[in-house]
């Protein structure tokens, strides 16, 4: 079984090194260290509680929604995928105050939730939403977005982005498909790009890690796409 580590902030490898059964219901000592474990398609992740709080077997018994994503096998938690979120500025998990109205968590609130002390609708800080992390099989082919001739092309380092505001998918981006880390971006969700806001879906394929990652991020994040990819991969260490 391959092992991957999800770490954040000042978590040192030594803090995560104590042997455990993968996906086991956390012991008191594990809870004090703030570590849970989960297996995704044969890869074992050790995840700080800040990012992932595992469902208990009791919760799984009463929730069909949870059952579609998680299962316990001999005390080991297995998941269809791993997902988490973090602020781009300091990699901390979002902390939404209890009782926050739902209308503040949609539209721009998806990436700038009303967390005390955090800015709103700015390019220098936003929440990166890692939709899923999934191990890949041999022969996996990364997404290769084709930038058509009708698009206005801008280059952000190795990421080329083509814009066509009349197209149902107004932004399409792609790094060279033979890179070790292949990045594709496309789509818009939640609202209109003409309003200065759009949600994009980023696809990252890490050849060295054999992982496919899907990320939701705001239009403003394009200028910081390298930080998004590097910080996401720094939280997923194989």
């Amino acid at each position: 079984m391959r092992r991957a580590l999800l770490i954040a902030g000042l978590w040192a490898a030594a803090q995560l090194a104590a042997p455990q059964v993968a996906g086991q219901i956390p012991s008191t000592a594990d809870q004090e260290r703030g570590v849970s474990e989960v297996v995704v398609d044969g890869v074992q992740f050790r995840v700080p509680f800040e990012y992932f709080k595992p469902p208990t077997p009791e919760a799984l018994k009463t929730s069909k929604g949870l059952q579609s994503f998680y299962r316990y096998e001999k005390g080991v938690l297995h998941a269809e995928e791993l997902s988490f979120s973090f602020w781009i500025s300091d990699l901390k998990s979002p902390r939404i105050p209890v009782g926050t109205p739902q209308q503040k968590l949609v539209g721009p609130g998806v990436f700038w939730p009303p967390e005390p002390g955090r800015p709103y609708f700015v390019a220098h800080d936003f929440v990166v939403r890692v939709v899923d992390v999934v191990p890949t099989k041999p022969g996996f082919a990364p997404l290769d977005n084709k930038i058509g001739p009708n698009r206005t092309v801008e280059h952000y380092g190795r990421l080329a982005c083509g814009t066509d505001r009349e197209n149902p998918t107004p932004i399409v981006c792609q790094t060279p498909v033979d890179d070790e880390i292949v990045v594709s971006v496309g789509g818009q969700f939640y609202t209109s790009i003409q309003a200065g806001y759009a949600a994009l879906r980023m696809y990252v394929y890490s050849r060295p890690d054999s992982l496919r990652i899907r990320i939701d991020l705001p239009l403003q994040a394009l200028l910081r796409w390298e930080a998004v990819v590097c910080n996401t991969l720094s939280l997923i260490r194989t």
Side-chain angles (χ1 to χ4, degrees):
M1 178 185 293
R2 288 159 49 212
R3 173 184 289 269
L5 299 180
L6 176 65
I7 66 172
L10 299 177
W11 279 84
Q15 291 178 290
L16 302 179
Q20 281 187 293
V21 176
Q24 202 171 16
I25 300 171
S27 66
T28 301
D30 296 332
Q31 292 180 32
E32 291 175 354
R33 287 197 298 268
V35 178
S36 57
E37 297 197 353
V38 60
V39 174
V40 181
D41 198 15
V43 177
Q44 184 184 52
F45 293 86
R46 303 190 72 187
V47 187
F49 284 159
E50 180 182 0
Y51 297 89
F52 179 76
K53 296 176 176 62
T56 64
E58 291 73 20
L60 286 181
K61 290 178 182 178
T62 58
S63 173
K64 290 186 177 180
L66 288 175
Q67 291 170 11
S68 64
F69 288 97
Y70 304 104
R71 70 184 187 280
Y72 277 97
E73 294 181 3
K74 299 180 179 179
V76 177
L77 179 63
H78 291 252
E80 295 298 314
E81 59 197 30
L82 179 65
S83 60
F84 58 95
S85 300
F86 62 91
W87 287 95
I88 191 65
S89 61
D90 56 17
L91 278 68
K92 290 185 178 179
S93 180
R95 297 179 181 275
I96 312 304
V98 175
T100 297
Q102 183 62 30
Q103 61 266 29
K104 291 184 176 292
L105 301 175
V106 298
V110 172
F111 303 107
W112 294 277
E115 180 177 326
R118 296 287 187 178
Y120 180 72
F121 211 15
V122 296
H124 68 269
D125 201 10
F126 48 84
V127 170
V128 176
R129 299 200 173 274
V130 180
V131 178
D132 57 26
V133 180
V134 179
T136 59
K137 307 292 187 196
F140 175 82
L143 181 64
D144 185 8
N145 278 332
K146 303 299 183 183
I147 300 177
N150 295 326
R151 294 181 181 270
T152 301
V153 179
E154 293 184 80
H155 291 269
Y156 305 92
R158 294 186 68 76
L159 185 72
C161 291
T163 303
D164 179 358
R165 292 176 180 267
E166 304 302 320
N167 195 292
T169 304
I171 297 176
V172 173
C173 305
Q174 183 69 45
T175 61
V177 75
D178 56 352
D179 280 1
E180 285 201 337
I181 308 296
V182 183
V183 177
S184 306
V185 181
Q188 71 171 95
F189 311 100
Y190 307 122
T191 190
S192 169
I193 190 172
Q194 282 80 7
Y197 165 76
L200 306 177
R201 172 65 57 85
M202 175 182 282
Y203 302 84
V204 179
Y205 171 48
S206 175
R207 284 191 166 94
D209 303 308
S210 297
L211 292 174
R212 173 189 60 75
I213 308 163
R214 294 190 300 169
I215 302 170
D216 283 347
L217 66 165
L219 175 65
Q220 287 81 351
L222 273 184
L223 291 174
R224 302 196 63 191
W225 74 270
E226 290 174 301
V228 170
V229 173
C230 289
N231 285 335
T232 299
L233 290 174
S234 76
L235 293 174
I236 307 166
R237 300 179 54 177
T238 302

